[in-house]
Amino acid sequence: MTEEKEITSESNGQENKESNVDEETDLDSAIIRQVEYYFGDVNLPRDKFLREQVKLDDGWVPLEILIKFNRLAKLTTDTEVIAASLLKSTSGLLEVSDDNKKIRRSPEMPLPEMNEERRKELLARTIYAKGFPKDISLDELMKFFKQYDEVENIVMRKYQDRQTKKRIFKGSVFATFKTKEQATKFMEAKDVKYNDTDLIILWQENYLQQKQEEYATRKEKKEKKNKDKDANEEKDDFKLPTGTVLHFTQSNEKMKREDLKESLDTLGEEIAFIDFKVGDPEGWIRFAKENSAKQVAEKIPEGKLRICDTDVVFKLLEGEEEKNYLEKTVEEMAKRRKNQKNFKQNRGKNFKGRQGRKRKQDDNGDATPAKVKAS
């Protein structure tokens, strides 16, 4: 009689279990979806806390631990309700302990290894969608995607508001479908909308590539802008006064800059630079003060001076001629400064390298004495 009761009881339990599956409520579905997400292929590999819990007791995690997770706690903190809901799951991902106090991921469904191949596989079934309301909830997003196919994970893309420091939803998501085929089906759907808003949809890989290209373009523009700014600042540093340049021609192959300077110094204006090399048939003399070349030109009879037994013919640069010469001079001065700066930096590095290098040792292990200059 007792045995018959036990069999009847077991039979009733089986009927109740099948009945529970048929009677799955919205709360059951939400609990199953949330807990299976925690232990799923996408979340578990990156959830450090949960991975540590899984290692403690042959994979079993107490429900008392899980109800501390925010999204599950918003659904319920009643562990009996959670256990009852999970028993209705048909995915086979989770096991519930006999006492309904703990759950674990089924040993028959081991976690895939997260490697490059796995990352590419996830990328291949993940899409980008934009156009959702800023105040939409994750549950509403899940409900939206469910009408297309089973979604394994949804990442609500957010940014931090500078003033409030709060994380604000951008209106776009990354959604990972269960299979590549399901993701493709969604991507091929026409006129995908949320309410009356057309959604912008892309494969995640294409979206990321697009963003990388945009970032590279912005970076290039920024670098060019900074480079142009630096160049303009350098030009401003070398801004030269006008009315300061005399051009000259001469035929003495031995004339030197010193000869020119000695003759022109007698005319009373400070010379900034003489652009001339021995043997050149022409050259330029740039004076330091505004319009000083004009004053010198007025002091040169008929524009000629006798220097080193040669007539040197001078002409004041004006207008476009002067402008072009001064711009070229500024560029050359900036270039020289940059080269000098680079030379000093490289010399400093080389000097440190020589200082830090050990002297070669001789066969006895003693350092070879440094060379001494002969006196």
Side-chain angles (χ1 to χ4, degrees):
M1 190 70 177
T2 304
E3 184 177 352
E4 185 178 348
K5 285 184 178 180
E6 288 176 353
I7 292 173
T8 303
S9 176
E10 183 178 349
S11 174
N12 289 338
Q14 182 65 27
E15 290 175 0
N16 289 337
K17 185 175 181 181
E18 291 175 355
S19 176
N20 285 342
V21 172
D22 294 336
E23 295 173 2
E24 183 178 309
T25 64
D26 289 343
L27 177 60
D28 292 330
S29 299
I31 292 172
I32 292 169
R33 183 173 64 241
Q34 190 59 45
V35 178
E36 288 190 348
Y37 166 75
Y38 291 148
F39 286 84
D41 294 351
V42 175
N43 181 72
L44 188 55
R46 63 188 183 188
D47 191 326
K48 183 178 178 182
F49 175 78
L50 191 54
R51 287 204 318 272
E52 290 175 351
Q53 295 298 314
V54 166
K55 295 176 183 177
L56 300 179
D57 182 18
D58 196 26
W60 292 105
V61 179
L63 290 176
E64 291 292 342
I65 294 290
L66 289 179
I67 59 174
K68 296 178 182 177
F69 287 31
N70 289 333
R71 287 198 59 80
L72 182 59
K74 288 180 180 178
L75 297 174
T76 181
T77 56
D78 189 328
T79 57
E80 292 183 5
V81 171
I82 295 171
S85 296
L86 295 177
L87 285 170
K88 297 177 183 180
S89 173
T90 58
S91 70
L93 179 66
L94 298 174
E95 293 181 352
V96 181
S97 64
D98 293 338
D99 61 2
N100 289 350
K101 300 291 186 184
K102 297 181 287 187
I103 64 169
R104 72 175 177 181
R105 181 177 172 124
S106 173
E108 296 179 3
M109 299 182 71
L111 196 65
E113 182 183 354
M114 183 53 72
N115 50 30
E116 187 60 28
E117 184 179 353
R118 168 67 175 164
R119 279 189 285 270
K120 288 181 179 179
E121 190 269 331
L122 284 173
L123 192 65
R125 51 188 172 94
T126 301
I127 63 93
Y128 164 84
K130 178 181 179 181
F132 296 103
K134 299 295 178 68
D135 58 351
I136 195 171
S137 68
L138 181 58
D139 290 332
E140 289 171 319
L141 285 167
M142 293 293 291
K143 184 177 179 180
F144 168 79
F145 279 102
K146 195 172 183 179
Q147 65 182 309
Y148 291 95
D149 252 315
E150 187 175 358
V151 173
E152 193 174 56
N153 184 46
I154 294 177
V155 176
M156 298 178 70
R157 304 181 67 247
K158 298 181 180 182
Y159 69 95
Q160 186 176 41
D161 184 83
R162 291 184 178 181
Q163 294 182 339
T164 63
K165 304 300 180 183
K166 291 182 178 179
R167 301 282 293 169
I168 300 175
F169 178 49
K170 288 183 174 183
S172 61
V173 302
F174 291 133
T176 303
F177 285 82
K178 196 73 174 177
T179 66
K180 167 72 172 176
E181 290 72 25
Q182 290 172 343
T184 302
K185 182 180 176 182
F186 176 80
M187 290 297 295
E188 292 177 349
K190 295 181 179 179
D191 300 326
V192 180
K193 294 184 177 183
Y194 185 84
N195 294 335
D196 295 327
T197 303
D198 291 322
L199 296 182
I200 298 171
I201 60 173
L202 295 167
W203 286 106
Q204 185 187 40
E205 184 175 14
N206 293 342
Y207 170 79
L208 295 176
Q209 183 178 356
Q210 186 182 95
K211 284 299 173 183
Q212 286 177 350
E213 290 172 356
E214 289 176 3
Y215 172 76
T217 301
R218 286 198 303 270
K219 183 180 179 183
E220 185 179 349
K221 287 182 179 179
K222 185 177 180 181
E223 289 176 349
K224 185 178 184 302
K225 184 178 179 180
N226 291 337
K227 187 176 180 181
D228 291 342
K229 181 181 178 182
D230 291 341
N232 290 333
E233 287 177 352
E234 285 185 348
K235 286 182 179 180
D236 289 341
D237 290 342
F238 295 121
K239 192 172 183 179
L240 301 175
T242 57
T244 56
V245 183
L246 289 180
H247 172 267
F248 67 87
T249 56
Q250 64 89 31
S251 58
N252 189 327
E253 294 182 355
K254 295 183 180 180
M255 182 182 294
K256 300 177 183 179
R257 281 185 291 184
E258 288 78 10
D259 299 323
L260 290 161
K261 186 176 186 307
E262 183 178 348
S263 296
L264 292 170
D265 277 345
T266 60
L267 300 180
E269 295 295 337
E270 180 184 356
I271 296 174
F273 187 74
I274 299 177
D275 185 2
F276 174 74
K277 293 180 182 178
V278 175
D280 287 351
E282 64 176 347
W284 295 262
I285 299 173
R286 182 167 54 84
F287 292 85
K289 296 179 181 179
E290 189 91 11
N291 294 322
S292 54
K294 288 184 179 180
Q295 297 178 17
V296 171
E298 291 172 357
K299 297 176 183 179
I300 299 175
E302 299 179 358
K304 293 182 182 179
L305 282 179
R306 191 75 178 173
I307 305 174
C308 295
D309 298 326
T310 301
D311 285 335
V312 181
V313 180
F314 292 90
K315 182 185 77 169
L316 176 67
L317 288 192
E318 296 179 293
E320 283 297 317
E321 278 190 316
E322 181 190 36
K323 179 183 176 182
N324 293 336
Y325 180 81
L326 290 178
E327 285 180 353
K328 182 180 177 182
T329 300
V330 166
E331 290 176 2
E332 290 176 351
M333 291 171 72
K335 186 177 179 180
R336 281 198 298 271
R337 174 182 285 187
K338 184 176 180 180
N339 290 339
Q340 289 173 354
K341 183 179 180 181
N342 291 337
F343 174 76
K344 289 179 180 179
Q345 289 176 344
N346 293 331
R347 186 176 64 176
K349 291 178 182 178
N350 293 335
F351 179 74
K352 290 178 182 178
R354 290 195 297 271
Q355 289 290 96
R357 192 183 301 128
K358 292 182 179 179
R359 293 201 301 270
K360 185 178 178 181
Q361 294 183 337
D362 62 15
D363 293 339
N364 295 322
D366 294 325
T368 304
K371 293 182 180 179
V372 179
K373 293 183 179 180
S375 57

